PDB file of all heavy atoms in Angstrom:
ATOM      1  N   GLY A   2     -27.331 252.550 -47.470  1.00 97.00           N
ATOM      2  CA  GLY A   2     -26.757 253.233 -48.522  1.00 97.00           C
ATOM      3  C   GLY A   2     -25.433 252.576 -48.972  1.00 97.00           C
ATOM      4  O   GLY A   2     -24.917 252.993 -50.117  1.00 97.00           O
ATOM      5  N   ARG A   3     -24.872 251.622 -48.194  1.00 97.00           N
ATOM      6  CA  ARG A   3     -23.592 251.034 -48.588  1.00 97.00           C
ATOM      7  C   ARG A   3     -23.775 249.543 -48.949  1.00 97.00           C
ATOM      8  O   ARG A   3     -22.796 248.764 -48.990  1.00 97.00           O
ATOM      9  CB  ARG A   3     -22.645 251.144 -47.416  1.00 97.00           C
ATOM     10  CG  ARG A   3     -22.435 252.558 -46.796  1.00 97.00           C
ATOM     11  CD  ARG A   3     -21.564 253.389 -47.794  1.00 97.00           C
ATOM     12  NE  ARG A   3     -20.191 252.857 -47.873  1.00 97.00           N
ATOM     13  CZ  ARG A   3     -19.178 253.196 -46.992  1.00 97.00           C
ATOM     14  NH1 ARG A   3     -19.463 253.984 -45.939  1.00 97.00           N
ATOM     15  NH2 ARG A   3     -17.995 252.706 -47.135  1.00 97.00           N
ATOM     16  N   GLU A   4     -25.006 249.157 -49.275  1.00 98.00           N
ATOM     17  CA  GLU A   4     -25.298 247.741 -49.522  1.00 98.00           C
ATOM     18  C   GLU A   4     -24.506 247.146 -50.754  1.00 98.00           C
ATOM     19  O   GLU A   4     -24.047 246.080 -50.719  1.00 98.00           O
ATOM     20  CB  GLU A   4     -26.794 247.591 -49.744  1.00 98.00           C
ATOM     21  CG  GLU A   4     -27.726 247.762 -48.522  1.00 98.00           C
ATOM     22  CD  GLU A   4     -28.121 249.210 -48.237  1.00 98.00           C
ATOM     23  OE1 GLU A   4     -27.597 250.101 -48.974  1.00 98.00           O
ATOM     24  OE2 GLU A   4     -28.901 249.404 -47.406  1.00 98.00           O
ATOM     25  N   SER A   5     -24.350 247.979 -51.753  1.00 98.00           N
ATOM     26  CA  SER A   5     -23.637 247.413 -52.890  1.00 98.00           C
ATOM     27  C   SER A   5     -22.214 247.137 -52.538  1.00 98.00           C
ATOM     28  O   SER A   5     -21.605 246.198 -52.967  1.00 98.00           O
ATOM     29  CB  SER A   5     -23.743 248.437 -54.153  1.00 98.00           C
ATOM     30  OG  SER A   5     -25.048 248.565 -54.525  1.00 98.00           O
ATOM     31  N   GLU A   6     -21.623 248.117 -51.816  1.00 98.00           N
ATOM     32  CA  GLU A   6     -20.223 247.854 -51.347  1.00 98.00           C
ATOM     33  C   GLU A   6     -20.059 246.709 -50.417  1.00 98.00           C
ATOM     34  O   GLU A   6     -19.136 245.862 -50.524  1.00 98.00           O
ATOM     35  CB  GLU A   6     -19.725 249.112 -50.642  1.00 98.00           C
ATOM     36  CG  GLU A   6     -18.265 249.186 -50.389  1.00 98.00           C
ATOM     37  CD  GLU A   6     -17.766 250.489 -49.704  1.00 98.00           C
ATOM     38  OE1 GLU A   6     -18.607 251.484 -49.748  1.00 98.00           O
ATOM     39  OE2 GLU A   6     -16.618 250.539 -49.288  1.00 98.00           O
ATOM     40  N   PHE A   7     -21.110 246.516 -49.576  1.00 98.00           N
ATOM     41  CA  PHE A   7     -21.067 245.393 -48.703  1.00 98.00           C
ATOM     42  C   PHE A   7     -21.157 244.079 -49.535  1.00 98.00           C
ATOM     43  O   PHE A   7     -20.361 243.149 -49.249  1.00 98.00           O
ATOM     44  CB  PHE A   7     -22.291 245.395 -47.723  1.00 98.00           C
ATOM     45  CG  PHE A   7     -22.326 244.185 -46.815  1.00 98.00           C
ATOM     46  CD1 PHE A   7     -21.553 244.082 -45.735  1.00 98.00           C
ATOM     47  CD2 PHE A   7     -23.227 243.166 -47.138  1.00 98.00           C
ATOM     48  CE1 PHE A   7     -21.557 242.943 -44.935  1.00 98.00           C
ATOM     49  CE2 PHE A   7     -23.283 241.997 -46.318  1.00 98.00           C
ATOM     50  CZ  PHE A   7     -22.511 241.958 -45.219  1.00 98.00           C
ATOM     51  N   ARG A   8     -22.004 244.038 -50.530  1.00 98.00           N
ATOM     52  CA  ARG A   8     -22.142 242.824 -51.296  1.00 98.00           C
ATOM     53  C   ARG A   8     -20.868 242.506 -52.108  1.00 98.00           C
ATOM     54  O   ARG A   8     -20.529 241.293 -52.240  1.00 98.00           O
ATOM     55  CB  ARG A   8     -23.348 242.962 -52.281  1.00 98.00           C
ATOM     56  CG  ARG A   8     -24.702 242.858 -51.541  1.00 98.00           C
ATOM     57  CD  ARG A   8     -25.830 242.904 -52.452  1.00 98.00           C
ATOM     58  NE  ARG A   8     -27.108 242.752 -51.756  1.00 98.00           N
ATOM     59  CZ  ARG A   8     -28.252 242.230 -52.226  1.00 98.00           C
ATOM     60  NH1 ARG A   8     -28.234 241.824 -53.474  1.00 98.00           N
ATOM     61  NH2 ARG A   8     -29.350 242.090 -51.491  1.00 98.00           N
ATOM     62  N   ALA A   9     -20.190 243.563 -52.594  1.00 98.00           N
ATOM     63  CA  ALA A   9     -18.977 243.357 -53.241  1.00 98.00           C
ATOM     64  C   ALA A   9     -17.926 242.739 -52.308  1.00 98.00           C
ATOM     65  O   ALA A   9     -17.085 241.914 -52.710  1.00 98.00           O
ATOM     66  CB  ALA A   9     -18.431 244.680 -53.873  1.00 98.00           C
ATOM     67  N   GLY A  10     -17.953 243.189 -51.070  1.00 98.00           N
ATOM     68  CA  GLY A  10     -17.085 242.779 -49.996  1.00 98.00           C
ATOM     69  C   GLY A  10     -17.340 241.228 -49.742  1.00 98.00           C
ATOM     70  O   GLY A  10     -16.399 240.508 -49.495  1.00 98.00           O
ATOM     71  N   VAL A  11     -18.565 240.898 -49.775  1.00 98.00           N
ATOM     72  CA  VAL A  11     -18.891 239.500 -49.492  1.00 98.00           C
ATOM     73  C   VAL A  11     -18.272 238.597 -50.564  1.00 98.00           C
ATOM     74  O   VAL A  11     -17.663 237.545 -50.247  1.00 98.00           O
ATOM     75  CB  VAL A  11     -20.472 239.294 -49.462  1.00 98.00           C
ATOM     76  CG1 VAL A  11     -20.817 237.813 -49.480  1.00 98.00           C
ATOM     77  CG2 VAL A  11     -21.043 239.984 -48.316  1.00 98.00           C
ATOM     78  N   ALA A  12     -18.401 239.025 -51.813  1.00 98.00           N
ATOM     79  CA  ALA A  12     -17.804 238.305 -52.963  1.00 98.00           C
ATOM     80  C   ALA A  12     -16.258 238.099 -52.822  1.00 98.00           C
ATOM     81  O   ALA A  12     -15.717 237.085 -53.016  1.00 98.00           O
ATOM     82  CB  ALA A  12     -18.167 238.855 -54.306  1.00 98.00           C
ATOM     83  N   THR A  13     -15.656 239.273 -52.429  1.00 98.00           N
ATOM     84  CA  THR A  13     -14.222 239.249 -52.226  1.00 98.00           C
ATOM     85  C   THR A  13     -13.798 238.328 -51.143  1.00 98.00           C
ATOM     86  O   THR A  13     -12.855 237.483 -51.267  1.00 98.00           O
ATOM     87  CB  THR A  13     -13.706 240.645 -51.931  1.00 98.00           C
ATOM     88  OG1 THR A  13     -13.933 241.528 -53.023  1.00 98.00           O
ATOM     89  CG2 THR A  13     -12.206 240.626 -51.683  1.00 98.00           C
ATOM     90  N   ALA A  14     -14.504 238.411 -50.006  1.00 98.00           N
ATOM     91  CA  ALA A  14     -14.228 237.538 -48.774  1.00 98.00           C
ATOM     92  C   ALA A  14     -14.358 236.025 -49.135  1.00 98.00           C
ATOM     93  O   ALA A  14     -13.589 235.190 -48.777  1.00 98.00           O
ATOM     94  CB  ALA A  14     -15.035 237.925 -47.682  1.00 98.00           C
ATOM     95  N   LEU A  15     -15.453 235.710 -49.912  1.00 98.00           N
ATOM     96  CA  LEU A  15     -15.663 234.360 -50.290  1.00 98.00           C
ATOM     97  C   LEU A  15     -14.605 233.791 -51.221  1.00 98.00           C
ATOM     98  O   LEU A  15     -14.308 232.622 -51.185  1.00 98.00           O
ATOM     99  CB  LEU A  15     -17.109 234.209 -50.748  1.00 98.00           C
ATOM    100  CG  LEU A  15     -18.260 234.306 -49.738  1.00 98.00           C
ATOM    101  CD1 LEU A  15     -19.559 234.330 -50.460  1.00 98.00           C
ATOM    102  CD2 LEU A  15     -18.139 233.076 -48.795  1.00 98.00           C
ATOM    103  N   ALA A  16     -14.162 234.647 -52.049  1.00 98.00           N
ATOM    104  CA  ALA A  16     -13.042 234.241 -52.935  1.00 98.00           C
ATOM    105  C   ALA A  16     -11.810 233.930 -52.145  1.00 98.00           C
ATOM    106  O   ALA A  16     -11.124 232.858 -52.437  1.00 98.00           O
ATOM    107  CB  ALA A  16     -12.754 235.311 -54.050  1.00 98.00           C
ATOM    108  N   TYR A  17     -11.488 234.735 -51.206  1.00 98.00           N
ATOM    109  CA  TYR A  17     -10.356 234.406 -50.332  1.00 98.00           C
ATOM    110  C   TYR A  17     -10.585 233.158 -49.446  1.00 98.00           C
ATOM    111  O   TYR A  17      -9.743 232.349 -49.283  1.00 98.00           O
ATOM    112  CB  TYR A  17     -10.066 235.604 -49.369  1.00 98.00           C
ATOM    113  CG  TYR A  17      -9.095 236.591 -50.043  1.00 98.00           C
ATOM    114  CD1 TYR A  17      -9.490 237.526 -50.995  1.00 98.00           C
ATOM    115  CD2 TYR A  17      -7.780 236.582 -49.611  1.00 98.00           C
ATOM    116  CE1 TYR A  17      -8.565 238.424 -51.548  1.00 98.00           C
ATOM    117  CE2 TYR A  17      -6.774 237.437 -50.149  1.00 98.00           C
ATOM    118  CZ  TYR A  17      -7.250 238.357 -51.127  1.00 98.00           C
ATOM    119  OH  TYR A  17      -6.314 239.236 -51.702  1.00 98.00           O
ATOM    120  N   ALA A  18     -11.795 233.042 -48.924  1.00 98.00           N
ATOM    121  CA  ALA A  18     -12.172 231.925 -48.129  1.00 98.00           C
ATOM    122  C   ALA A  18     -11.996 230.635 -48.927  1.00 98.00           C
ATOM    123  O   ALA A  18     -11.501 229.577 -48.428  1.00 98.00           O
ATOM    124  CB  ALA A  18     -13.579 232.043 -47.593  1.00 98.00           C
ATOM    125  N   GLU A  19     -12.408 230.587 -50.131  1.00 98.00           N
ATOM    126  CA  GLU A  19     -12.283 229.440 -51.025  1.00 98.00           C
ATOM    127  C   GLU A  19     -10.825 229.093 -51.231  1.00 98.00           C
ATOM    128  O   GLU A  19     -10.422 227.953 -51.055  1.00 98.00           O
ATOM    129  CB  GLU A  19     -12.969 229.648 -52.335  1.00 98.00           C
ATOM    130  CG  GLU A  19     -12.931 228.400 -53.283  1.00 98.00           C
ATOM    131  CD  GLU A  19     -13.638 228.593 -54.514  1.00 98.00           C
ATOM    132  OE1 GLU A  19     -13.925 229.795 -54.928  1.00 98.00           O
ATOM    133  OE2 GLU A  19     -14.012 227.539 -55.141  1.00 98.00           O
ATOM    134  N   ALA A  20     -10.059 230.065 -51.459  1.00 98.00           N
ATOM    135  CA  ALA A  20      -8.534 229.844 -51.739  1.00 98.00           C
ATOM    136  C   ALA A  20      -7.847 229.392 -50.450  1.00 98.00           C
ATOM    137  O   ALA A  20      -6.934 228.538 -50.551  1.00 98.00           O
ATOM    138  CB  ALA A  20      -7.930 231.175 -52.253  1.00 98.00           C
ATOM    139  N   LEU A  21      -8.369 229.867 -49.325  1.00 98.00           N
ATOM    140  CA  LEU A  21      -7.529 229.572 -48.037  1.00 98.00           C
ATOM    141  C   LEU A  21      -8.266 228.435 -47.292  1.00 98.00           C
ATOM    142  O   LEU A  21      -7.758 228.038 -46.209  1.00 98.00           O
ATOM    143  CB  LEU A  21      -7.560 230.822 -47.136  1.00 98.00           C
ATOM    144  CG  LEU A  21      -7.026 232.053 -47.884  1.00 98.00           C
ATOM    145  CD1 LEU A  21      -6.997 233.222 -46.900  1.00 98.00           C
ATOM    146  CD2 LEU A  21      -5.620 231.812 -48.398  1.00 98.00           C
ATOM    147  N   GLY A  22      -9.268 227.834 -47.792  1.00 98.00           N
ATOM    148  CA  GLY A  22      -9.980 226.758 -47.077  1.00 98.00           C
ATOM    149  C   GLY A  22     -10.601 227.205 -45.739  1.00 98.00           C
ATOM    150  O   GLY A  22     -10.698 226.434 -44.814  1.00 98.00           O
ATOM    151  N   CYS A  23     -11.011 228.468 -45.680  1.00 98.00           N
ATOM    152  CA  CYS A  23     -11.607 228.997 -44.478  1.00 98.00           C
ATOM    153  C   CYS A  23     -13.154 228.834 -44.454  1.00 98.00           C
ATOM    154  O   CYS A  23     -13.838 229.106 -45.432  1.00 98.00           O
ATOM    155  CB  CYS A  23     -11.241 230.484 -44.442  1.00 98.00           C
ATOM    156  SG  CYS A  23     -11.775 231.354 -42.862  1.00 98.00           S
ATOM    157  N   ARG A  24     -13.594 228.406 -43.363  1.00 98.00           N
ATOM    158  CA  ARG A  24     -15.039 228.044 -43.172  1.00 98.00           C
ATOM    159  C   ARG A  24     -15.759 229.029 -42.317  1.00 98.00           C
ATOM    160  O   ARG A  24     -17.013 228.826 -42.127  1.00 98.00           O
ATOM    161  CB  ARG A  24     -15.180 226.707 -42.579  1.00 98.00           C
ATOM    162  CG  ARG A  24     -14.480 225.555 -43.305  1.00 98.00           C
ATOM    163  CD  ARG A  24     -15.202 225.188 -44.535  1.00 98.00           C
ATOM    164  NE  ARG A  24     -16.575 224.698 -44.306  1.00 98.00           N
ATOM    165  CZ  ARG A  24     -16.873 223.470 -43.882  1.00 98.00           C
ATOM    166  NH1 ARG A  24     -15.839 222.617 -43.759  1.00 98.00           N
ATOM    167  NH2 ARG A  24     -18.076 223.072 -43.625  1.00 98.00           N
ATOM    168  N   GLN A  25     -15.133 230.115 -41.942  1.00 98.00           N
ATOM    169  CA  GLN A  25     -15.795 231.149 -41.175  1.00 98.00           C
ATOM    170  C   GLN A  25     -15.373 232.581 -41.539  1.00 98.00           C
ATOM    171  O   GLN A  25     -14.200 232.832 -41.664  1.00 98.00           O
ATOM    172  CB  GLN A  25     -15.560 230.958 -39.617  1.00 98.00           C
ATOM    173  CG  GLN A  25     -16.003 229.635 -39.079  1.00 98.00           C
ATOM    174  CD  GLN A  25     -15.821 229.550 -37.603  1.00 98.00           C
ATOM    175  OE1 GLN A  25     -16.820 229.368 -36.822  1.00 98.00           O
ATOM    176  NE2 GLN A  25     -14.587 229.608 -37.143  1.00 98.00           N
ATOM    177  N   LEU A  26     -16.374 233.455 -41.653  1.00 98.00           N
ATOM    178  CA  LEU A  26     -16.069 234.831 -41.966  1.00 98.00           C
ATOM    179  C   LEU A  26     -16.846 235.710 -41.031  1.00 98.00           C
ATOM    180  O   LEU A  26     -18.084 235.494 -40.830  1.00 98.00           O
ATOM    181  CB  LEU A  26     -16.496 235.174 -43.431  1.00 98.00           C
ATOM    182  CG  LEU A  26     -15.807 234.458 -44.549  1.00 98.00           C
ATOM    183  CD1 LEU A  26     -16.528 234.731 -45.915  1.00 98.00           C
ATOM    184  CD2 LEU A  26     -14.359 234.940 -44.617  1.00 98.00           C
ATOM    185  N   HIS A  27     -16.174 236.765 -40.489  1.00 98.00           N
ATOM    186  CA  HIS A  27     -16.897 237.715 -39.608  1.00 98.00           C
ATOM    187  C   HIS A  27     -17.229 238.953 -40.374  1.00 98.00           C
ATOM    188  O   HIS A  27     -16.375 239.529 -41.102  1.00 98.00           O
ATOM    189  CB  HIS A  27     -15.982 238.080 -38.461  1.00 98.00           C
ATOM    190  CG  HIS A  27     -16.416 239.297 -37.702  1.00 98.00           C
ATOM    191  ND1 HIS A  27     -15.547 240.239 -37.270  1.00 98.00           N
ATOM    192  CD2 HIS A  27     -17.619 239.629 -37.223  1.00 98.00           C
ATOM    193  CE1 HIS A  27     -16.253 241.136 -36.620  1.00 98.00           C
ATOM    194  NE2 HIS A  27     -17.496 240.800 -36.573  1.00 98.00           N
ATOM    195  N   ALA A  28     -18.467 239.372 -40.299  1.00 98.00           N
ATOM    196  CA  ALA A  28     -18.917 240.602 -41.018  1.00 98.00           C
ATOM    197  C   ALA A  28     -19.031 241.726 -39.964  1.00 98.00           C
ATOM    198  O   ALA A  28     -20.007 241.682 -39.108  1.00 98.00           O
ATOM    199  CB  ALA A  28     -20.325 240.348 -41.649  1.00 98.00           C
ATOM    200  N   MET A  29     -18.134 242.649 -40.020  1.00 98.00           N
ATOM    201  CA  MET A  29     -18.194 243.761 -39.062  1.00 98.00           C
ATOM    202  C   MET A  29     -19.367 244.608 -39.376  1.00 98.00           C
ATOM    203  O   MET A  29     -19.798 244.925 -40.435  1.00 98.00           O
ATOM    204  CB  MET A  29     -16.908 244.627 -39.196  1.00 98.00           C
ATOM    205  CG  MET A  29     -15.654 243.908 -38.707  1.00 98.00           C
ATOM    206  SD  MET A  29     -14.247 244.992 -38.585  1.00 98.00           S
ATOM    207  CE  MET A  29     -14.686 245.762 -37.061  1.00 98.00           C
ATOM    208  N   ALA A  30     -19.997 245.026 -38.200  1.00 98.00           N
ATOM    209  CA  ALA A  30     -21.333 245.720 -38.291  1.00 98.00           C
ATOM    210  C   ALA A  30     -21.214 247.178 -38.703  1.00 98.00           C
ATOM    211  O   ALA A  30     -22.050 247.727 -39.391  1.00 98.00           O
ATOM    212  CB  ALA A  30     -22.027 245.670 -36.925  1.00 98.00           C
ATOM    213  N   GLY A  31     -20.165 247.928 -38.254  1.00 98.00           N
ATOM    214  CA  GLY A  31     -19.980 249.285 -38.507  1.00 98.00           C
ATOM    215  C   GLY A  31     -20.407 250.193 -37.379  1.00 98.00           C
ATOM    216  O   GLY A  31     -21.050 249.736 -36.431  1.00 98.00           O
ATOM    217  N   LEU A  32     -20.091 251.485 -37.561  1.00 98.00           N
ATOM    218  CA  LEU A  32     -20.328 252.460 -36.555  1.00 98.00           C
ATOM    219  C   LEU A  32     -21.716 253.086 -36.771  1.00 98.00           C
ATOM    220  O   LEU A  32     -22.079 253.341 -37.979  1.00 98.00           O
ATOM    221  CB  LEU A  32     -19.346 253.526 -36.502  1.00 98.00           C
ATOM    222  CG  LEU A  32     -17.825 253.069 -36.298  1.00 98.00           C
ATOM    223  CD1 LEU A  32     -16.907 254.242 -36.386  1.00 98.00           C
ATOM    224  CD2 LEU A  32     -17.721 252.408 -34.934  1.00 98.00           C
ATOM    225  N   ARG A  33     -22.419 253.461 -35.758  1.00 97.00           N
ATOM    226  CA  ARG A  33     -23.747 254.116 -35.896  1.00 97.00           C
ATOM    227  C   ARG A  33     -23.517 255.456 -36.577  1.00 97.00           C
ATOM    228  O   ARG A  33     -22.560 256.206 -36.337  1.00 97.00           O
ATOM    229  CB  ARG A  33     -24.344 254.346 -34.506  1.00 97.00           C
ATOM    230  CG  ARG A  33     -24.813 253.013 -33.855  1.00 97.00           C
ATOM    231  CD  ARG A  33     -25.656 253.272 -32.697  1.00 97.00           C
ATOM    232  NE  ARG A  33     -24.933 253.965 -31.612  1.00 97.00           N
ATOM    233  CZ  ARG A  33     -24.254 253.390 -30.645  1.00 97.00           C
ATOM    234  NH1 ARG A  33     -24.172 252.116 -30.576  1.00 97.00           N
ATOM    235  NH2 ARG A  33     -23.665 254.161 -29.728  1.00 97.00           N
ATOM    236  N   GLN A  34     -24.381 255.834 -37.454  1.00 96.00           N
ATOM    237  CA  GLN A  34     -24.250 256.981 -38.225  1.00 96.00           C
ATOM    238  C   GLN A  34     -25.227 258.093 -37.817  1.00 96.00           C
ATOM    239  O   GLN A  34     -26.359 257.794 -37.454  1.00 96.00           O
ATOM    240  CB  GLN A  34     -24.555 256.633 -39.749  1.00 96.00           C
ATOM    241  CG  GLN A  34     -23.679 255.593 -40.337  1.00 96.00           C
ATOM    242  CD  GLN A  34     -22.271 255.907 -40.489  1.00 96.00           C
ATOM    243  OE1 GLN A  34     -21.844 256.805 -41.232  1.00 96.00           O
ATOM    244  NE2 GLN A  34     -21.398 255.285 -39.641  1.00 96.00           N
ATOM    245  N   ALA A  35     -24.741 259.356 -37.923  1.00 96.00           N
ATOM    246  CA  ALA A  35     -25.637 260.496 -37.599  1.00 96.00           C
ATOM    247  C   ALA A  35     -26.830 260.546 -38.506  1.00 96.00           C
ATOM    248  O   ALA A  35     -26.669 260.353 -39.739  1.00 96.00           O
ATOM    249  CB  ALA A  35     -24.842 261.779 -37.675  1.00 96.00           C
ATOM    250  N   GLY A  36     -27.982 260.764 -37.951  1.00 96.00           N
ATOM    251  CA  GLY A  36     -29.142 260.833 -38.725  1.00 96.00           C
ATOM    252  C   GLY A  36     -29.832 259.583 -39.107  1.00 96.00           C
ATOM    253  O   GLY A  36     -30.801 259.488 -39.838  1.00 96.00           O
ATOM    254  N   VAL A  37     -29.221 258.382 -38.720  1.00 96.00           N
ATOM    255  CA  VAL A  37     -29.702 257.073 -39.032  1.00 96.00           C
ATOM    256  C   VAL A  37     -30.219 256.476 -37.660  1.00 96.00           C
ATOM    257  O   VAL A  37     -29.463 256.398 -36.645  1.00 96.00           O
ATOM    258  CB  VAL A  37     -28.574 256.128 -39.605  1.00 96.00           C
ATOM    259  CG1 VAL A  37     -29.226 254.807 -39.831  1.00 96.00           C
ATOM    260  CG2 VAL A  37     -28.074 256.799 -40.864  1.00 96.00           C
TER     261      VAL A  37
END
């Protein structure tokens, strides 16, 4: 249910990575959710 927000975050992170010359990004997995 948070896929759109995740994808927006990917775009933001890649914009920073390009500006900073960074070649590695860590994607945090998140906490297990009740009912999932």
Side-chain angles (χ1 to χ4, degrees):
R3 305 287 293 277
E4 290 86 353
S5 294
E6 189 176 348
F7 177 80
R8 290 187 174 204
V11 170
T13 298
L15 286 171
Y17 270 79
E19 182 176 20
L21 306 182
C23 185
R24 302 287 298 280
Q25 299 187 118
L26 295 171
H27 168 222
M29 294 192 73
L32 304 176
R33 293 191 297 271
Q34 304 294 292
V37 178

